[in-house]
């Protein structure tokens, strides 16, 4: 039996792509046409949580990062309940612990003055059933008005402020609010917002937006008006969403922090404002150094009050969405417009659908399809992964590197517990043969308790080591090992010094060319590093194209969205390989295939050597909602290792490309949806199915056999050939594709082991 898939896109397929269903004698339960995913419905809960815990594709039943209080009719009871909720979920002493990391950085990061660290948040009320009260949404539905209507507006009333302060803040909003509406789009609801000076709120708390009562509550002004108004602006942007708040901090807090940067830096809005000074959370300049898997979690505010990762997550979420705004200046307003048009209470916590909405606005970010780009921004991973974790905030300095290590355990609920340990460091030179000496030593003490539990700090300094070079910091603690590339000797802080610099991971020599700004031509790469200026004056938000040409004349190009201050850029060529395989036409040219590495070229027709009009390539997207899961090229990015595809070759075809193999020294994860999935081998060598592990939700990974026993997976791995049709296999081969069946309605993650090397 076969099914035919065609396309009516202009200039597209001129034939059909056929595929065979698994033989009924082996699996009579499989329908001739594979159907869509069916997700279990989740009832309301008193505790907001992930109801689907798939990596980069979670769903939640309420705002996980909001301060939550029970609804009170009495004003007096509401005031008392709010104060208790603030102390329980947003205590100033816990926040001061989080701010300590920033204060440590002040000693080594030149600033004109020290910005104060503040943590403004949204507060929501829940009813007796544990569901969020949404009075403005209810009124909108009763009056048949539209969420996000173009005519919606916010008006402001001030309470508790001195006349001078109220006048100054109103004057600021008179200028900033129209620009906010232009950049963020109209508010979700038409309403009046009270801006109240609240003496019970500590300055480090920053303020709250009470969504149930349309109130911004802030402490007294600090005397740093540009920074005070930035905090006010974020709370105003909270009011823009109001009852339609995104359920995840990575989205809601990330959106408002990034949009506030975009608004506050507009001409005439806040004279004297500099996003990097003050700006303890600004980190776009070192985003690539800090973008690590340990950033992921369902909330920035774990239930226990652990603050180890809070500052880093807030900063990185802002930076990630800033990259989208740099990609398209209308990003926030367009996303909000589409979000409001489709708004439901489920949508607010539905990451797969929210990603679809964003992809309609920015189909590509930094030259990569949005869905794939999103999965490379670890702070946007809202899933919970149970494990012990090591994260290191590492800032390149002119002759040293700042290392702030966070060691902690994540539980199945997303809560985090700081851990203690003694970390050993090594500072490898560009050849990985010399462990450089730093007089500060090779030990980072990470206390289990005290004022900074779970956090260690070291700033190793290097002298007379032969000049600028790529160094690699290795950190080992509690059986965890991490590597951090570090371009030594290139970071500039002063005007006229390098504002664009970086390292080639795996490469030593060659040249760098940059298009964008003033451009850079033929910049020499020596000892794996480079540095220059892309603007004569201060750096500004823009997109640049960076091309590295190796000494053997191989080229690699990246599009990079950069902001203020400077930018450290890494290009990974260390895992570059030449891959080749011949696919025969046989009876009908049909192959179930995959790629064991990621081609540097992004066009499938070029990689496969088939003209665009003749390319018949299809992908089964098991993670997409609905029944129409097959996608035809070019509606997907085909070359991600771990995926498999149906390809009909026009004749015997040899595929040869230069690409990046998945890092053999680490595990590699492939998410699966419910039901059937197309799977490829992401390695260049065979992988026995028995070596693959399976993770369900936030649980620890289990072996394949245990996953079968626990009914996570069906014990089937089907290959396909033109002569034999479907066959059961127990090993995944490079270049081949396979069908596997996941039995969990929320999907699982397959984990391919690291490859043993000599």
């Amino acid at each position: 039996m076969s099914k035919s898939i065609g396309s009516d896109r202009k200039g597209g397929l001129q034939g059909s792509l056929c595929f065979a269903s698994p033989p009924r004698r082996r699996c009579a339960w499989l329908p001739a046409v594979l159907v869509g995913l069916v997700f279990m419905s989740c009832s309301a809960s008193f505790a907001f949580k992930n109801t689907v815990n798939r990596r980069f594709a979670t769903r939640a039943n309420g705002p996980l990062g909001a301060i939550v209080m029970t609804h009170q009719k009495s004003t007096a009871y509401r005031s008392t309940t709010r104060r208790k909720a603030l102390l329980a979920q947003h205590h100033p002493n816990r926040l001061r612990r989080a701010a300590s990391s920033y204060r440590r950085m002040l000693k080594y990061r030149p600033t004109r003055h020290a910005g104060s660290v503040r943590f403004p948040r949204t507060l929501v009320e829940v009813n007796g059933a544990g569901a969020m009260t949404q009075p403005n949404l209810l009124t909108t539905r009763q009056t048949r008005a539209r969420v996000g209507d173009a005519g919606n507006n916010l008006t402001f009333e001030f309470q508790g402020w001195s006349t001078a302060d109220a006048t100054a803040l109103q004057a600021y909003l008179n200028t900033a609010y129209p620009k906010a509406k232009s950049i963020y789009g109209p508010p979700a609801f038409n309403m009046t917002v009270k801006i109240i000076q609240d003496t019970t709120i500590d300055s480090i708390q920053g303020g709250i937006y009470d969504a149930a009562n349309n109130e911004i509550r802030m402490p007294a002004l600090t005397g740093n008006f540009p920074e005070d108004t930035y905090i006010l602006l974020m709370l105003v942007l909270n009011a823009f969403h109001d009852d339609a708040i995104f359920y995840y901090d990575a989205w809601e807090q990330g959106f408002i922090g990034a949009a506030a940067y975009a608004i506050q830096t507009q001409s005439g809005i806040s004279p004297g404002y500099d996003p990097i000074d003050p700006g303890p959370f600004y980190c776009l300049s070192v985003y690539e150094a800090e973008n690590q898997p340990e950033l992921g979690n369902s909330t920035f505010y774990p239930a226990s009050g652990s603050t180890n990762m809070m500052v880093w997550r807030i900063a990185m979420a802002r930076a990630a969405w800033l990259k989208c705004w740099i990609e398209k200046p209308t990003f926030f307003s367009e996303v909000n417009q589409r979000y409001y048009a489709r708004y439901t209470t489920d949508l607010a916590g539905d990451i797969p659908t929210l990603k679809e909405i964003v992809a309609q606005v920015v189909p590509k970010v930094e030259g990569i399809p949005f869905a794939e780009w999103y999965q490379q921004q670890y702070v946007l991973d809202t899933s919970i992964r149970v494990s012990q974790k090591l994260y290191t905030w590492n800032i390149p300095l002119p002759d040293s590197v700042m290392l702030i290590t966070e060691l902690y355990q994540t539980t199945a609920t997303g809560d985090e517990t700081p851990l203690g340990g003694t970390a050993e460091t090594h500072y490898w030179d560009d050849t990985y043969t010399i462990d450089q000496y730093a007089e500060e030593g090779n030990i980072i003490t990470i206390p289990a308790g005290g004022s900074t539990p779970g956090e260690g700090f070291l700033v190793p300094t290097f002298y007379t080591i032969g000049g600028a070079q790529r160094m690699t910091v290795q950190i080992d603690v509690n059986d965890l090992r991490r590597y951090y590339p570090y371009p030594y000797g290139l970071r500039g802080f002063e005007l006229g010094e390098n504002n664009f610099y970086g390292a080639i991971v795996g490469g030593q020599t060659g040249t760098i060319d940059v298009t964008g700004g003033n451009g850079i031509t033929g910049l020499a790469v020596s000892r794996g590093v480079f540095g220059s200026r892309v603007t004569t004056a201060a750096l500004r938000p823009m997109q640049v194209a960076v091309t590295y040409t190796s000494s053997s004349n191989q080229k690699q190009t990246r599009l990079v969205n950069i902001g203020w201050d400077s930018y450290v850029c890494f290009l990974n060529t260390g895992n570059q390989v030449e891959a080749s395989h011949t696919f025969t036409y046989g009876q009908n040219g049909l192959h179930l295939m995959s790629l064991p590495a990621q081609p540097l070229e992004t066009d499938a027709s070029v990689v496969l050597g088939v003209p665009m009009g003749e390319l018949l390539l299809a992908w089964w997207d098991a993670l997409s909602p609905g029944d129409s899961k097959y996608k035809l090229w070019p509606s997907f990015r085909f070359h991600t290792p771990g995926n498999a595809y149906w390809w009909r070759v026009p004749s015997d075809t040899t595929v040869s490309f230069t690409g990046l193999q998945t890092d053999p020294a680490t595990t590699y994860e492939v998410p699966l949806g419910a039901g059937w999935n197309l799977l490829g081998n992401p390695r260049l060598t065979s992988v026995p199915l028995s070596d693959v592990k399976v993770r369900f939700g936030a649980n620890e990974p289990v072996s394949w056999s245990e996953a079968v026993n626990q009914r996570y997976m069906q014990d089937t791995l089907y290959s396909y050939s033109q002569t034999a049709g479907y066959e059961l296999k127990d090993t995944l081969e490079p270049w081949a594709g396979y069908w596997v069946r996941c039995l969990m309605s929320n999907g699982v993650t397959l984990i391919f082991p690291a490859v043993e090397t000599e």
Side-chain angles (χ1 to χ4, degrees), residues 328-484:
K328 190 174 187 179
T330 58
F331 170 76
F332 293 112
S333 62
E334 288 192 45
V335 170
N336 280 329
Q337 179 184 24
R338 293 173 184 269
Y339 172 60
Y340 295 146
R342 298 176 58 178
Y343 180 79
T344 65
T345 53
D346 288 337
L347 174 61
D350 184 346
I351 295 299
T353 306
L354 289 175
K355 288 195 302 183
E356 289 180 8
I357 290 173
V358 174
Q360 294 169 0
V361 177
V362 279
K364 290 186 176 183
V365 179
E366 298 184 303
I368 302 173
F370 174 77
E372 186 165 342
W373 177 88
Y374 186 91
Q375 293 192 187
Q376 297 175 23
Q377 319 312 313
Y378 295 112
V379 74
L380 302 183
D381 180 7
T382 48
S383 70
I384 299 167
R385 302 176 67 201
V386 176
S387 65
Q388 187 176 137
K389 296 172 183 173
L390 172 66
Y391 179 81
T392 301
W393 188 265
N394 58 109
I395 299 180
L397 300 170
D399 55 10
S400 59
V401 58
M402 183 185 301
L403 304 172
I404 304 177
T405 60
E406 307 290 355
L407 185 65
Y408 62 99
Q409 172 77 34
T410 302
T411 70
T413 63
D415 206 354
E416 293 174 347
T417 303
L419 303 174
T422 300
E424 180 180 341
T425 62
H426 296 274
Y427 316 113
W428 300 107
D429 75 336
D430 60 301
T431 65
Y432 291 94
T433 58
I434 300 175
D435 189 355
Q436 301 283 13
Y437 169 79
E439 59 184 58
E440 292 79 7
N442 295 76
I443 296 296
I444 303 176
T445 300
I446 305 174
S451 61
T452 57
E455 183 173 282
F457 185 76
L458 187 68
V459 184
T461 305
F462 308 96
Y463 301 106
T464 62
I465 63 172
Q469 60 182 281
R470 181 195 63 241
M471 296 180 66
T472 302
V473 178
Q474 175 186 323
I475 300 180
D476 294 272
V477 59
N478 293 11
D479 295 324
L480 298 172
R481 170 173 289 180
R482 299 290 184 266
Y483 295 95
Y484 307 99

Side-chain angles (χ1 to χ4, degrees), residues 703-750:
S703 66
W704 175 266
S705 60
E706 184 61 23
V708 172
N709 290 338
Q710 295 189 28
R711 300 291 292 166
Y712 293 170
M713 300 294 299
Q714 183 166 300
D715 194 13
T716 52
L717 179 73
Y718 282 101
S719 68
Y720 173 82
S721 69
Q722 297 177 46
T723 54
Y726 281 112
E727 293 181 291
L728 281 170
K729 299 290 185 180
D730 57 12
T731 300
L732 293 97
E733 300 294 343
W735 298 95
Y738 303 88
W739 284 107
V740 292
R741 192 183 188 213
C742 171
L743 302 178
M744 304 303 293
S745 60
N746 290 338
V748 299
T749 299
L750 295 190

Side-chain angles (χ1 to χ4, degrees), residues 80-100:
T80 301
T81 304
R82 180 176 57 243
R83 189 174 300 115
K84 288 181 178 179
L86 274 168
L87 290 176
Q89 302 172 51
H90 203 53
H91 199 286
N93 289 345
R94 292 172 178 169
L95 300 177
R96 291 187 183 97
R97 152 69 186 90
S100 65

Side-chain angles (χ1 to χ4, degrees), residues 172-189:
Y172 164 78
L173 287 176
N174 289 343
T175 304
Y177 175 72
K179 182 57 68 174
K181 195 171 180 180
S182 171
I183 288 178
Y184 216 59
F189 309 105

Side-chain angles (χ1 to χ4, degrees), residues 123-194:
L123 180 145
V124 301
E125 291 186 358
V126 295
N127 59 27
M132 183 171 67
T133 63
Q134 297 173 292
N136 288 314
L137 178 63
L138 179 62
T139 300
T140 297
R141 288 174 172 171
Q142 289 174 339
T143 59
R144 299 184 182 276
R146 291 190 306 170
V147 177
D149 186 85
N152 284 352
N153 202 35
L154 300 181
T155 56
F156 303 98
E157 295 179 357
F158 290 86
Q159 292 184 7
W161 301 90
S162 69
T163 301
D165 285 350
T167 300
L169 292 174
Q170 183 64 70
Y172 164 78
L173 287 176
N174 289 343
T175 304
Y177 175 72
K179 182 57 68 174
K181 195 171 180 180
S182 171
I183 288 178
Y184 216 59
F189 309 105
N190 197 53
M191 62 188 189
T192 296
V193 177
K194 294 179 181 179

Side-chain angles (χ1 to χ4, degrees), residues 540-618:
R540 63 186 186 277
M542 69 178 78
Q543 183 174 88
V544 299
V546 186
T547 299
Y548 167 62
T549 305
S550 69
S551 53
S552 58
N553 207 36
Q554 292 180 326
K555 293 183 181 293
Q556 181 179 348
T557 299
R558 280 189 57 198
L559 296 182
V560 184
N561 294 348
I562 61 180
W564 302 276
D565 181 48
S566 62
Y567 196 85
V568 59
C569 179
F570 296 108
L571 289 92
N572 189 341
T573 65
N575 295 324
Q576 194 162 303
V577 295
E578 300 295 327
S580 180
H581 184 77
T582 298
F583 295 89
T584 59
Y585 181 79
Q587 297 176 351
N588 56 21
L590 189 63
H591 290 270
L592 185 54
M593 56 83 70
S594 65
L595 299 180
Q598 181 170 307
L600 299 182
E601 172 61 54
T602 61
D603 188 330
S605 63
V606 175
V607 175
L608 299 178
V610 178
M612 182 67 175
E614 300 176 18
L615 182 57
L616 302 170
L617 190 70

